Amino acid sequence: MTENSTTEQLDRDRVRELFDLRSSYNAHMGGGYRDDPYPIWKRLREQAPVHPGIVHELTGFEGPAFFQGLPHPDRPHFSAFTWEACDAAYRNAEVFSASLQPVDPNNGNYDAMNSMLSMGGDQHRRYRQLVQPSFVPAKAEWWIRNWIEETVHHLIDGFAAEGRAELNVDFCAAIPVLTITGSFGVPVDQALDIREAQSRPGDLVEMIKPIVAARRENPQDDLISILVEAEMKDDNGVPQRLTDDEIYSFAVLLLTAGSGTTWKQMGITLTALLQRPEVLKKVNEDRTLLRPAIEEALRWVPTDPMFSRYVTRDIDFHGVHLPEGSVLHICLGAANRDPARWDNPDDYDITRKTKASFAFGGGAHICLGMHVARAEMRVGIGALLDRLPNLRLDPDREPPRFIGMYERGATEIPVVFG
Ligand code: HEM
């Protein structure tokens, strides 16, 4: 990313339109849901670990809400709400499969569902092993140094002198898109085109194609270069590399999986802290508390509270018979507040003993980008605290609220400082 590039070239109005949780762009994911689902999920969890039905319908939401594992009107649907049931489903990939059929990332269909997210068994393992090295914890510094830090500071430069800002869209939303597009080698002025093209993967691929070709010729210190060079020996000792098509579908997956999620989760974390000034003060004074503050927000309100699996054979599961071919929705949002695992689970408490939550999923498909996401949130929130003294919610504006069904996040986060 070049000097002085980021903020000038990002049109704030366009950013707002593309990232407003309530816009039509997001509405089909249940963006219109405006209530708190947790009291209903608590009741459902207390009634039974597994219920027939789909999470949003059981929650009483009747608007459009599609996500992984939906719509499939021809299949029976079930939803799991306890930690134990969700854990059992994540651990049993043979019965609870992420894929309906083998995925072919070379077939020119670059949909995020035609990617490792929906692969199973050996195919998934091979892909994951090829790309995993760029996403291990030790690589977080590489992401921070190359893309995250500069992006974060450029964005703060854009509003630091104004004494007020709207952090959700003007800050949180922009960071992950710029980080991922930056890692692809895409210039900043094209980053929003890429966000817009996210729902049209073919357009996105057209933007990435020349970069992949250029990196095959002349590798650089970026993600696409690593992907074109990644090599792994298969069981017969034959070296395997990713094809161009495989890289394109992976790039589409990264943008889809990595931008909306990190944006909203960062907004959720900031909201949790800003609504609790005494906790924010503690974090400000002792930055080692930023990690638990982020982990606790992931547990308390994970942005994606549901992922799904296809049932590969008949099974009696936590009191319910699931027929082969049905879909099990793992309501990880409800599992993350199971009192069997956490005391006072509805409280946002950064002092609680750290235990893994399901915010990043579980099992073989556990979020590939979780360390990148954590680094973005840590560097982003840390830089806000460093640079904006006395950061607090704007008392004259409507306070943030969490909305959305399958992609949850804050409305707006208006703040003042100085
Ligand atoms: C706070 C932000 C994030 C959250 C809450 C999140 C959540 C998740 C969850 C729950 C899954 C598992 C889905 C399942 O069980 O089927 C997942 C998978 C995945 N995520 Fe994330 N994610 C985040 C950020 C990112 C980022 C920044 C990237 C990339 C840079 C990323 C890339 C992926 C990929 C590639 C997968 C599929 C992994 C596989 O199928 O093996 N995610 N994510």
Side-chain angles (χ1 to χ4, degrees):
M1 197 170 290
T2 53
E3 268 300 301
N4 79 27
S5 53
T6 313
T7 39
E8 295 81 5
Q9 293 174 27
L10 281 177
D11 173 347
R12 270 197 206 180
D13 289 341
R14 198 158 158 239
V15 172
R16 282 184 188 139
E17 183 192 328
L18 288 175
F19 291 99
D20 182 348
L21 258 189
R22 294 154 297 185
S23 73
S24 58
Y25 189 85
N26 295 297
H28 68 289
M29 300 291 200
Y33 181 75
R34 305 188 63 86
D35 296 332
D36 177 5
Y38 283 95
I40 302 168
W41 291 350
K42 177 172 188 277
R43 187 167 43 76
L44 289 164
R45 195 180 51 228
E46 282 167 0
Q47 283 168 354
V50 180
H51 290 253
I54 302 170
V55 173
H56 70 270
E57 292 174 359
L58 291 163
T59 312
F61 179 62
E62 285 167 7
F66 300 121
F67 205 63
Q68 194 211 24
L70 290 172
H72 292 300
D74 51 327
R75 293 169 183 268
H77 291 262
F78 299 86
S79 300
F81 290 92
T82 59
W83 175 271
E84 201 187 355
C86 293
D87 190 44
Y90 267 135
R91 282 173 193 272
N92 188 348
E94 210 181 299
V95 176
F96 299 102
S97 167
S99 59
L100 268 175
Q101 65 254 331
V103 169
D104 179 5
N106 286 302
N107 67 5
N109 167 14
Y110 305 113
D111 188 276
M113 288 302 154
N114 192 48
S115 72
M116 66 190 285
L117 187 62
S118 306
M119 287 176 189
D122 284 344
Q123 189 190 23
H124 176 258
R125 252 189 307 281
R126 174 187 162 251
Y127 270 79
R128 181 107 192 185
Q129 282 174 15
L130 272 169
V131 297
Q132 181 93 30
S134 306
F135 295 90
V136 293
K139 267 279 173 182
E141 265 312 310
W142 178 74
W143 286 85
I144 292 172
R145 194 181 59 244
N146 278 330
W147 302 291
I148 302 174
E149 199 139 59
E150 195 173 357
T151 300
V152 159
H153 284 286
H154 274 305
L155 289 168
I156 298 178
D157 289 345
F159 53 69
E162 291 171 12
R164 60 182 60 242
E166 192 293 293
L167 295 181
N168 198 32
V169 170
D170 291 349
F171 185 69
C172 301
I175 294 170
V177 179
L178 293 173
T179 300
I180 295 173
T181 52
S183 79
F184 292 169
V186 171
V188 168
D189 56 356
Q190 278 181 27
L192 288 189
D193 295 339
I194 288 215
R195 161 74 189 176
E196 207 162 23
Q198 211 168 294
S199 51
R200 302 185 306 278
D203 292 5
L204 188 63
V205 168
E206 288 310 313
M207 291 185 213
I208 295 168
K209 262 186 189 170
I211 301 173
V212 174
R215 298 301 187 270
R216 283 211 191 273
E217 288 289 307
N218 184 15
Q220 312 220 337
D221 187 24
D222 62 22
L223 186 66
I224 301 285
S225 305
I226 292 182
L227 296 178
V228 300
E229 298 202 302
E231 195 175 273
M232 207 187 72
K233 291 210 170 55
D234 68 13
D235 293 345
N236 303 316
V238 180
Q240 295 199 27
R241 284 193 167 192
L242 294 167
T243 63
D244 281 359
D245 271 349
E246 287 170 346
I247 293 177
Y248 304 152
S249 14
F250 184 60
V252 172
L253 172 65
L254 279 193
L255 264 174
T256 317
S259 31
T261 44
T262 314
W263 147 39
K264 285 171 223 152
Q265 196 66 48
M266 194 180 319
I268 289 166
T269 314
L270 273 168
T271 302
L273 290 171
L274 287 159
Q275 285 176 337
R276 293 166 183 75
E278 69 295 346
V279 182
L280 183 64
K281 185 163 173 280
K282 281 197 188 120
V283 172
N284 200 9
E285 286 164 3
D286 176 2
R287 291 307 168 79
T288 61
L289 295 176
L290 199 44
R291 278 174 198 262
I294 289 167
E295 293 308 308
E296 174 66 351
L298 281 158
R299 180 199 71 80
W300 185 60
V301 180
T303 177
D304 292 350
M306 184 194 88
F307 277 90
S308 312
R309 295 293 184 264
Y310 301 97
V311 179
T312 59
R313 61 171 162 79
D314 280 30
I315 185 170
D316 290 322
F317 189 69
H318 295 264
V320 178
H321 181 75
L322 310 180
E324 178 184 338
S326 58
V327 188
L328 178 70
H329 304 289
I330 300 174
C331 187
L332 56 92
N336 272 4
R337 291 205 192 182
D338 191 332
R341 189 167 171 84
W342 287 281
D343 294 335
N344 304 317
D346 291 327
D347 294 349
Y348 174 76
D349 175 4
I350 70 166
T351 66
R352 69 171 77 241
K353 193 163 162 279
T354 310
K355 278 187 195 168
S357 83
F358 280 140
F360 289 118
H365 291 269
I366 195 165
C367 179
L368 179 75
M370 62 186 167
H371 302 299
V372 179
R374 286 179 168 128
E376 288 177 46
M377 294 192 275
R378 216 170 48 241
V379 173
I381 299 172
L384 290 175
L385 294 177
D386 283 341
R387 295 192 50 192
L388 309 177
N390 196 15
L391 181 68
R392 60 209 184 274
L393 284 174
D394 185 341
D396 301 327
R397 298 269 305 276
E398 210 175 299
R401 292 200 312 120
F402 298 140
I403 60 169
M405 175 51 60
Y406 294 138
E407 291 189 351
R408 292 184 57 69
T411 42
E412 283 191 324
I413 311 179
V415 290
V416 287
F417 42 88

